[in-house]
């Protein structure tokens, strides 16, 4: 009994302690190995969406443009008309030569890219004689009477407005271009009695709205408004002095 106790005291107890220690190490080692094994196991690759490679061939779109007629050299045509004709200025049935003080202007009535040539005709009031390129040639489109000449920024109604007054009547007339011809229409008309009292009639509401939009109020009358876009004219002597191209350039062409 004493021997067993001695042995226990001398050897077995340390062995037990070591055994406990080793047992713990073995358990930790086992866990570590398990963890290591778990970590080193090949990971399962996540499922990926199937990617289909689509190869598209370049497609060249063939656009067949309809043949368009070349734009006529309207500038040269107008210049030839006014310089090669003995009496190019037309007013009604009357023709006459261009003088040094004959007013010249350009204005695109129908917004087709080819402006109309306007020549002023002196009389009791300066009338406007309008020319255009139609069917490949310069033609006289018609005449516009009145005094003040102005136009709107409205592309649909881009003709010329003119106002005029007579003894007992004041009018505003709009002149547009249709099939190479000037077509004029009364916009607003005011008649006065002997006492000077006026009675105003709007003849065309649409054109009246355009007229009001391109003018500003000057007084109570619908006929004496200030235009926003006045038609600019240049005397023939000035056109000759500065050159035809300079005249064309003043209108942005």
């Amino acid at each position: 009994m004493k021997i067993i106790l001695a042995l226990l005291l001398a050897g077995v107890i340390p062995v037990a302690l070591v055994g406990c220690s080793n047992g713990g190490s073995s358990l930790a080692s086992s866990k570590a190995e398990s963890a290591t094994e778990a970590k080193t196991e090949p990971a399962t690759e996540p499922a990926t969406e199937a990617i289909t490679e689509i190869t598209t061939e370049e497609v060249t779109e063939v656009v067949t443009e309809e043949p368009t007629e070349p734009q006529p050299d309207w500038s040269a045509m107008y210049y030839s008309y006014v310089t090669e004709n003995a009496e190019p200025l037309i007013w009604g049935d009357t023709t006459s030569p261009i003088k040094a003080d004959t007013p010249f202007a350009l204005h695109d009535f129908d917004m087709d890219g080819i402006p109309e040539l306007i020549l002023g005709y002196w009389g009791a009031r300066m009338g406007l004689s309008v020319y255009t390129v139609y069917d490949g040639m310069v033609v006289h489109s018609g005449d516009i009477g009145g005094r003040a000449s102005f136009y709107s920024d409205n592309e649909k109604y881009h003709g010329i407005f003119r106002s005029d007054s007579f003894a007992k009547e004041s009018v505003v007339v709009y002149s547009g271009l249709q099939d190479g011809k000037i077509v004029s229409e009364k916009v607003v008309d005011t008649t006065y009695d002997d006492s000077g009292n006026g009675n105003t009639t709007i003849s065309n509401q649409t054109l009246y709205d355009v007229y009001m939009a391109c003018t500003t109020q000057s007084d109570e009358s619908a006929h004496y408004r200030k235009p926003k876009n006045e038609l600019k004219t240049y005397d023939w002597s000035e056109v000759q002095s500065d050159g035809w191209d300079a005249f064309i350039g003043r209108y942005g062409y």
Side-chain angles (χ1 to χ4, degrees), residues 1 6 30 41 137 148 154 180 202 227:
M1 190 69 179
S30 175
E41 287 180 3
M137 59 187 300
N154 190 309
I202 297 175

Side-chain angles (χ1 to χ4, degrees), residues 25-48:
S25 293
S26 298
L27 181 59
S29 175
S30 175
K31 288 181 179 179
E33 287 176 3
S34 298
T36 304
E37 289 177 1
K39 289 182 180 179
T40 56
E41 287 180 3
T44 303
E45 294 184 1
T48 57

Side-chain angles (χ1 to χ4, degrees), residues 163-199:
S163 59
D164 204 354
S165 297
F166 312 99
K168 290 186 177 182
E169 185 180 13
S170 295
V171 296
V172 174
V173 175
Y174 172 81
S175 297
L177 189 72
Q178 183 176 343
D179 296 329
K181 293 295 183 182
I182 289 293
V183 179
S184 297
E185 185 172 351
K186 189 181 292 185
V187 178
V188 58
D189 180 20
T190 300
T191 56
Y192 302 92
D193 59 23
D194 294 336
S195 300
N197 299 314
N199 179 35

Side-chain angles (χ1 to χ4, degrees), residues 103-109 116-120 126-130 144 147-151 158-162 227-234 251:
F104 274 61
L106 290 176
H107 182 72
D108 194 348
F109 280 73
E116 278 60 56
L117 175 65
I118 300 173
L119 304 183
M126 185 184 75
L128 303 180
S129 185
V130 183
I144 303 175
R147 299 192 183 196
S149 305
F150 51 96
Y151 57 92
H158 200 247
I160 296 291
F161 285 96
R162 298 206 88 186
K228 296 178 181 178
N229 302 308
E230 290 187 270
L231 180 67
K232 295 181 179 180
T233 63
Y234 302 90
Y251 296 89

